[in-house]
Amino acid sequence: MPKRRADLFGDIARFSALHAAARRAVRGKRGKPGAAAFMANQERELLRLERQLTDGTWRPGRYVEIPIRDPKPRLVSAAPFRDRVVHHALCAVLAPIWERGFIDDSYANRAGFGTHRAIARYEQYRDRYRHVLRADIFRFFPAIDHAILKATFRRRIACENTLWLLDAIVDGSNPQEPVNLYFPGDDLFTPFERRRGLPIGNLTSQWFANLYLDGFDHFVKEVLRAPYLRYVDDIALFHDDPAVLASWRERIETYLVGRRLKLHPVKSFIASTTEPATFLGFVLCGDGRRRLPEEAVRRFRNRLRGLRDRWRAGTVAASEVQQRLFSWIAHAEHADTRRLRHALFRGGWFDPLWEPDGPPVEPVLRGGSWNNKPRNVRSAKRNRNDPTNRNNNTGFRLASTPSHARAGASKDAPGAREGIHGPS
C-alpha cells in the first residue's frame, strides 16, 4: 500500500498557486474569449476562486462539446477557463505524487516521455523479439468507472478537501458515449446505474486515465514480467513465442474485468514484428524505416489548406500559421517526409517562406509536361516526372507570377509576364 498524503489542499487553493496555474492555463489561448475575459479581471477572478475552494462552494461549469470526426468520431469537451485554472493548480500538486508510482514504460501525458519516445521504445522491443501483442481498450475514456476511479484516489490521497475537489471534478463530467458492457455479477440494470466516462480534453482526465491503469501497468511488468509499453490505451507486449502472448492476453482480459474494461475485439491481435505496424501515427517497418500513413498525409494537407484559406481571408495571423505548420512538420520529420513534402508543396499553391507582415502570396500557377515521346507531351500525361528531372526530353512548362508582383514590375522585367519555357 503506497503512503497516503495529507494536508495538500492549501498548496492547491492558495492565491499564489492559482495565479501560477492561470499563467500556465492561458498559454496559447490569450485570444480565446473565455481566457481573455478571465485575465482581464485576473485578480478578482482568482480571489473568487480561492474563496469558493476554501469554503467548499466551488462547482465545475458547463462543458462546450465539440464533435470530432477525423481521424475517428469522438467527443472533445472544453471546460470553462476558470475550471481549467483549478485543474492546473490541482495537477501541479498531485502529479508529482502520482508520477513517482508510474512505470517507466507508460508514455502518455508525462513530461519527458511522449509519442516519439514511445515509438523508439517500441522499435527497441521489436528488434529483440519475433512477435508482438497489440491491444487497445474498448472505448477507454467513456468506459472509466467513477466509483473505481474515486477508490483509486484514496489509495494515494488522505486529504479530505483534496478528495472533495477530485470527486467534484469527476462528478461534473459531462455524459459521454454509452458503453453498456456487462461483467460477472451484473444484473440487467447495472451498466445504467454506474456512472462512467471522463471528458476528453481535460488536463485532469489525462492524469486520471494514467492513474486508472497504473495498477494494470504494474501487473503486466511485475506479475507477467512482460516486455511492455503503453500510450493511453494503446498497449504492446513482446515475446518470441506467440503462445505465450496468447496466454498473456487471457490473463490481461481477466485483470481488466476488475477495472470494468475490455480489450477491443478487432484492434487486439498478435502479429510478427517483421510486418509493418501502425503505431501512434507512424507506419513502423521491420527494416527500421518509418512512414506516414495515407490518412495522416491527407489530414496534414487538409489542415494546411484550411490554414492557408483562413490566412488569406485575414482571420488568422501568419505567425500562428507558421507555428502550427512547423509543429506538424517537426512531428512528421520523425518519418520519411518525401510524400508529405510532395503533397504539401508541389505545385506552388502554398509558399512556406512568406513574409509574416507582407500581403498574402497568390499561388504560382504551373502546367505543362515533358516526355521522350512527343504524343505524350500533354498536361494530363506527366509520366510521374517532376521539375527536378534533368534530361533531354521534349516538353514545355507554363508559369505565371503573382498579380501584385506583376503590377510592381516593368513590362520587360523577368517574371513580369506569363512565359512558356522550352524543353527541359
Side-chain angles (χ1 to χ4, degrees), residues 19 26 68 147 227 242 274 328 369:
H19 181 263
V26 81
I68 301 295
T274 60
W328 294 342
S369 178

Side-chain angles (χ1 to χ4, degrees), residues 209-220:
N210 273 343
L211 190 64
Y212 198 80
L213 288 180
D214 181 47
F216 171 74
D217 293 337
H218 287 277
F219 167 76
V220 176

